[in-house]
Amino acid sequence: MTEVVLGRTGIRANKNGFGALPIQRVSFDEARVILRKAYDCGINFFDTARAYSDSEEKLGFALSDVRDQIYIATKTAAQTGDDLRKDLETSLGHLKTDRVDILQFHNPSFCPRPGDGTGLYEAAAEAKTQGKIGFIGITNHRIHVAEEAVGSGLYDTVQFPFSYLAGDRERSLIKGCQEKNVGFIAMKALSGGLISNGAAAWAFMAQYENVLPIWGVQSTVELDEFLACQADPPSLTEQLCAVIEKDRTELTGEFCRGCGYCLPCPAGIDIPNSARMSLMLRRARPQDYLTEDWKEKMGRIPDCIHCGHCRDHCPYGLDTPRLLADNWADYQKFMK
Ligand code: SF4
Ligand code: SF4
């Protein structure tokens, strides 16, 4: 089993992290089967969030008796110090524990700092002093926020989308984490479902010794794929390199990478997901991703006020409002 040391935290985690967002979609009993199998097979890093409905409760339900053998990272989207304290108490209660190993700010539009007026960083530091959290992390979809967090020296871990579709700037972010001894947690290692070859994704990640991927898993079948990679790690053979190259070629041009640099949208549109629906419909089985939540988010596309913010901030030069309109048209056709 390959381990990753998460920067200055010293956490040594199996390089097969468990992303606990998708277990929201299954029952408590199903979640327990999946989580216990993951634990029994050596997975020891579990990433959840206050915002993932009952994901924290399911983790507490399934793994509280082995709490000391695992690492738990959760997230808060609190906007004030008081709200962070409340969120943390809720998380601790749901997780049935008295501490989380990493508390991450959940995709804030800025990099929280002491003295910024929100009280967020101070509240997290206080929780650390009290022993309620081990380390302070941040998750983000905006690379400039992630870069600032790494450079600030304030964060023990950074969580950011990273897959074999990533560009040079993301690779520089990983290098920056290594230089600053900041742990790097990779979300969307399958690019939110656009990548369907788990072996290729695994082999690509293996090249980055400081990167801990968290694979979103909602069934034992999906889990088994990653456990098979863990048992017999695929290497970057010519065949897998060809898969990666094919995907990179296919997913070029007018393709939304889901990076989120265009956020926030004043109309509340979830651009990174909504602008990729057409591709998802072509590349993945709808029953695997087309949740009620995603459908609700798609329904916001017509609310676009054409302010142009997304187009002006997309590093890939996409005409994002038009892309959203095209995706909306494809989606409507599919739903008929
Ligand atoms: S142009 Fe539309 S989708 Fe883009 S940021 Fe403005 S409101 Fe949101
Ligand atoms: S539209 Fe551009 S900036 Fe927004 S998520 Fe897609 S690739 Fe990123």
Side-chain angles (χ1 to χ4, degrees):
M1 175 194 309
T2 306
E3 286 188 324
V4 177
V5 180
L6 267 183
R8 69 180 69 135
T9 70
I11 288 173
R12 298 182 77 88
N14 178 350
K15 196 181 173 79
N16 189 6
F18 192 105
L21 183 150
I23 59 166
Q24 294 176 99
R25 302 176 198 137
V26 300
S27 70
F28 271 75
D29 287 338
E30 286 171 291
R32 176 151 64 183
V33 169
I34 298 166
L35 288 162
R36 284 311 287 210
K37 181 167 189 183
Y39 169 74
D40 289 340
C41 294
I43 290 178
N44 63 352
F45 189 92
F46 296 83
D47 180 84
T48 181
R50 191 72 291 288
Y52 298 167
S53 63
D54 57 11
S55 168
E56 290 179 328
E57 285 171 277
K58 285 168 175 162
L59 277 171
F61 175 66
L63 298 174
S64 60
D65 62 318
V66 292
R67 172 68 189 92
D68 290 340
Q69 274 73 58
I70 60 173
Y71 296 108
I72 298 175
T74 191
K75 315 183 189 78
T76 171
Q79 301 292 310
T80 67
D82 281 346
D83 284 347
L84 183 145
R85 290 181 195 95
K86 283 184 207 147
D87 264 5
L88 180 56
E89 292 306 322
T90 305
S91 293
L92 293 174
H94 286 172
L95 290 160
K96 297 189 182 165
T97 184
D98 57 2
R99 73 196 149 79
V100 292
D101 298 288
I102 305 172
L103 179 66
Q104 304 158 103
F105 294 118
H106 197 165
N107 196 29
S109 59
F110 62 99
C111 175
R113 290 172 176 271
D116 66 11
T118 65
L120 284 170
Y121 196 90
E122 288 88 339
E126 175 192 292
K128 189 172 175 180
T129 306
Q130 294 168 339
K132 293 180 179 177
I133 68 172
F135 299 97
I136 302 173
I138 185 168
T139 78
N140 226 272
H141 288 270
R142 302 165 186 82
I143 199 155
H144 68 92
V145 175
E147 288 168 344
E148 185 181 335
V150 173
S152 71
L154 293 167
Y155 289 93
D156 302 309
T157 62
V158 165
Q159 183 174 151
F160 196 78
F162 186 63
S163 73
Y164 62 63
L165 302 176
D168 290 343
R169 201 164 164 189
E170 286 86 350
R171 288 165 213 252
S172 297
L173 182 70
I174 285 168
K175 196 156 177 271
C177 282
Q178 200 157 29
E179 286 164 5
K180 300 271 186 183
N181 209 17
V182 173
F184 187 92
I185 302 166
M187 65 165 119
K188 294 195 184 290
L190 296 176
S191 196
L194 292 180
I195 293 173
S196 54
N197 190 316
W202 183 286
F204 172 81
M205 284 295 172
Q207 300 174 108
Y208 296 87
E209 62 174 9
N210 66 322
V211 171
L212 173 61
I214 46 169
W215 310 99
V217 164
Q218 62 179 342
S219 69
T220 49
V221 174
E222 288 175 3
L223 177 62
D224 286 347
E225 184 177 9
F226 297 113
L227 292 176
C229 290
Q230 179 183 299
D232 185 14
S235 49
L236 270 182
T237 56
E238 267 182 38
Q239 194 187 8
L240 289 185
C241 286
V243 168
I244 292 173
E245 272 320 301
K246 184 166 177 286
D247 276 351
R248 284 180 176 155
T249 307
E250 274 180 25
L251 298 169
T252 53
E254 295 242 313
F255 145 60
C256 170
R257 277 78 172 166
C259 65
Y261 303 161
C262 52
L263 297 175
C265 162
I269 298 169
D270 182 348
I271 300 171
N273 277 325
S274 304
R276 302 191 305 155
M277 179 55 79
S278 304
L279 276 172
M280 290 298 292
L281 291 172
R282 283 208 299 276
R283 295 177 63 91
R285 299 184 321 159
Q287 59 266 40
D288 291 340
Y289 63 89
L290 199 49
T291 59
E292 290 307 311
D293 180 51
W294 201 338
K295 288 178 190 168
E296 186 274 317
K297 286 175 176 167
M298 286 302 290
R300 296 183 208 161
I301 291 178
D303 297 340
C304 173
I305 57 172
H306 298 279
C307 67
H309 178 273
C310 52
R311 185 173 39 225
D312 294 346
H313 288 79
C314 178
Y316 302 98
L318 300 180
D319 183 351
T320 313
R322 191 183 55 69
L323 195 57
L324 284 167
D326 292 348
N327 276 267
W328 177 239
D330 281 349
Y331 174 71
Q332 281 188 304
K333 261 188 246 158
F334 174 80
M335 295 301 280
K336 266 187 190 160

